[in-house]
Amino acid sequence: MDIFRKLGWFFKDQRNNYIRGVLDLLMTALLNMLPPFFIGYTVNLLVAHQLTISKLTGILLILVVDALLLYFFRYLWATHIWGGATILEKILRKRLYAHFMTMDEQFYHKYRTGDLMARATNDLNQVRNVAGSGILTFADSIIGGTVTIITMMIVVDWRLTLIAILPFPLLAVMSMQLGRKMHSAFGAQQDEFSTLNNKVQESLSGMKAIKTLGQEQADLADMTKQNRKLLTAYKRVEFVAALYDPFTSMIIVLAYVVTIIYGGWMVLHHVINIGQLVSFIAYISMLIWPMFAIGRLFNIIERGHASYDRVMEVLNEKTSILDDPSGLHAEPHGDLIIDIENFTYPDEADEQPALKNVHVTVKAGETLGLVGRVGAGKSTLMKLLLRQFDDYQGAITIAGTDIKHYALDSYLPALGYVPQENFLFSTTIRENIRFASPQISDEAVIAAAKKAALHDDILLLPKGYDTEVGEHGISLSGGQRQRLAIARALIIDPEVLILDDALSAVDARTETAILATLKAERANKTTIIAAHRISSVMQAENILVFDHGEVSERGTHHTLLKVEGWYADMYHRQQLEIKLEGGE
Ligand SMILES: Nc1ncnc2c1ncn2[C@@H]1O[C@H](COP(=O)(O)OP(=O)(O)OP(=O)(O)O)[C@@H](O)[C@H]1O
């Protein structure tokens, strides 16, 4: 029952819905009492030879009106209670989704996509069940049971009632015992479901790689193993659930036996009449559902409880990126000063710092180039700029203000970021380009595509800018995807444009064209380009060479060539490669 306390905030919020629903249930329970009463009454009339056509018609009429009213009140409780339950699911899903949006990289390291999807769908269904079927079964079994028992006491005999319901408390003891078992069994089942969900998600996303590497059988075996684990977890849940119903049946049989023995004795000794005994047996049959309902109830609430805990576990995770509520609500425009003494990834605390002593000033309008070996720290610096990690020694300022002191909703929209792996949404090219805001005009979309040297390619596609891409659309080449991502970033004319190896798949001529456009268009704005190809950064006012998280060389293209270090070596090697390939 702990889950009802945990969901107290919701029931309080929706109390009108629930009060109305419970009152409708009460009315249904009261109306349910009439048929057994009139059956007993009719039997007594029959025994006494007093049943006339007019009396029978009157009884039938009452029963018909009763059935109509029952229909009406059942409809009302269903709409109030099920309606409330769907509101709970909606609220929790919205909270979860908003929470996902604020979470940092560490969170997505800890919880995998399939797991989060399971929590946002399957677990939320179980929680909704608590607020729907759970409340319904709870109110129905308690209200239905209590009303029936009181009616039995009043209409028949209180002693017979007490003796007949004597074994009932055993049900409560059984529910509590099984409830605990169900909670842990269902929690384990949902964890296995999350793992399987994640496996399916990864296999489907990586299907090309699986096939290319001939790993179909190995992946299938892996999936079968996880599927079996889930099956075992399901079986355990059903095993616990199945223990309850036979026990309930035993209690009901016991109640009938007691009724027939003690009730029969009472009829023989004229304490109650035969009609009352018939009504009593009909009332006992009306207790069957409330008793089974208690079994359903513990099943629903313990499943919902385990799921609610899983949803709350995610919702209680804190992000390390704290939005300063009194932060500066202004576009970050001005010189960028990076002064990082040390940064180590949170989950790599014992490892070497990912960045150490990185100090550089980029004047507004200038371009900063970042080069260096794989894993040298270029992307890490970009992540700090993008506020994906805030926990570093040192400071990054733009126009004299620490980037942590800008309000996030002013700071982040002013950055244009093109990551190494860009993502296409399943919509048209036009919507993909203006993803930052659907209000952006078609002309601006075309202008951005031209700047990213993508316009001509788009015109060759079957529906031009309205061509669908992504999962159900056409596939773009790697270079086209990169240029689409660049157009998506350029369209907002960002104060700081960050390109993380974003030109690696475009040919040399297109790269030159894009870089020339950037130079001309972004005269007053900052651009940061990380690349493996030296040609991507050689126009930059300032180039940093990274090695193991530190800056090993710095300067312009010409000064770096004179140093004859890693940069010069890499440049000459790449020039040679171009010549050998017969390029320019
Ligand atoms: N989220 C993370 N958690 C822990 N370590 C990380 C994380 N991301 C990167 N690293 C590590 O930090 C170091 C720097 O990586 P980074 O991605 O910044 O290199 P890079 O210079 O951008 O490399 P590339 O040229 O391949 O993109 C590497 O040793 C990498 O393994």
Side-chain angles (χ1 to χ4, degrees), residues 187-427:
Q189 178 200 297
Q190 291 301 80
D191 287 346
E192 293 298 351
F193 180 78
S194 274
T195 313
L196 183 83
N197 216 27
N198 208 57
K199 174 81 202 127
V200 173
Q201 191 264 335
E202 272 182 7
S203 294
L204 290 178
S205 322
M207 194 51 83
K208 276 186 197 156
I210 291 171
K211 288 192 172 182
T212 322
L213 296 169
Q215 288 302 303
E216 293 99 322
Q217 290 311 320
D219 196 62
L220 197 61
D222 221 19
M223 175 75 77
T224 310
K225 197 168 137 202
Q226 185 50 39
N227 213 358
R228 204 171 298 134
K229 277 188 178 174
L230 179 62
L231 186 81
T232 311
Y234 273 143
K235 274 190 187 163
R236 169 135 181 74
V237 170
E238 293 312 327
F239 171 75
V240 177
L243 288 173
Y244 192 89
D245 282 0
F247 189 73
T248 314
S249 304
M250 268 170 50
I251 302 273
I252 293 164
V253 171
L254 218 61
Y256 275 125
V257 171
V258 171
T259 305
I260 289 166
I261 295 175
Y262 187 51
W265 181 87
M266 287 178 119
V267 173
L268 288 178
H269 290 82
H270 305 291
V271 184
I272 57 172
N273 59 41
I274 185 81
Q276 281 176 305
L277 184 61
V278 171
S279 294
F280 194 86
I281 289 172
Y283 284 129
I284 293 262
S285 71
M286 290 181 66
L287 283 178
I288 294 177
W289 160 242
M291 280 194 280
F292 276 109
I294 294 174
R296 306 267 178 289
L297 179 67
F298 97 84
N299 208 331
I300 293 166
I301 63 176
E302 288 311 334
R303 283 169 194 245
H305 193 175
S307 283
Y308 187 73
D309 287 349
R310 279 166 48 85
V311 171
M312 290 318 281
E313 181 194 349
V314 168
L315 279 175
N316 286 333
E317 291 283 350
K318 299 268 178 289
T319 176
S320 61
I321 311 299
L322 294 179
D323 192 7
D324 182 356
S326 58
L328 188 62
H329 286 276
E331 278 219 326
H333 173 77
D335 296 352
L336 162 70
I337 302 175
I338 298 172
D339 273 318
I340 292 164
E341 268 129 45
N342 193 306
F343 170 68
T344 308
Y345 279 102
D347 47 358
E348 311 267 317
D350 305 332
E351 303 289 316
Q352 287 282 315
L355 289 176
K356 207 171 162 197
N357 296 327
V358 181
H359 303 281
V360 65
T361 299
V362 191
K363 293 222 161 59
E366 282 188 357
T367 299
L368 173 69
L370 308 175
V371 290
R373 290 190 176 85
V374 168
K378 306 177 291 290
S379 303
T380 305
L381 178 60
M382 297 183 162
K383 287 181 195 167
L384 301 195
L385 263 167
L386 288 158
R387 298 226 24 218
Q388 290 177 0
F389 294 92
D390 270 354
D391 203 7
Y392 50 87
Q393 285 159 29
I396 302 176
T397 61
I398 299 183
T401 302
D402 192 315
I403 58 170
K404 293 180 202 167
H405 297 154
Y406 283 97
L408 272 182
D409 58 359
S410 291
Y411 180 71
L412 291 179
L415 307 186
Y417 172 52
V418 186
Q420 287 181 3
E421 285 179 15
N422 38 62
F423 186 81
L424 294 187
F425 296 94
S426 296
T427 177

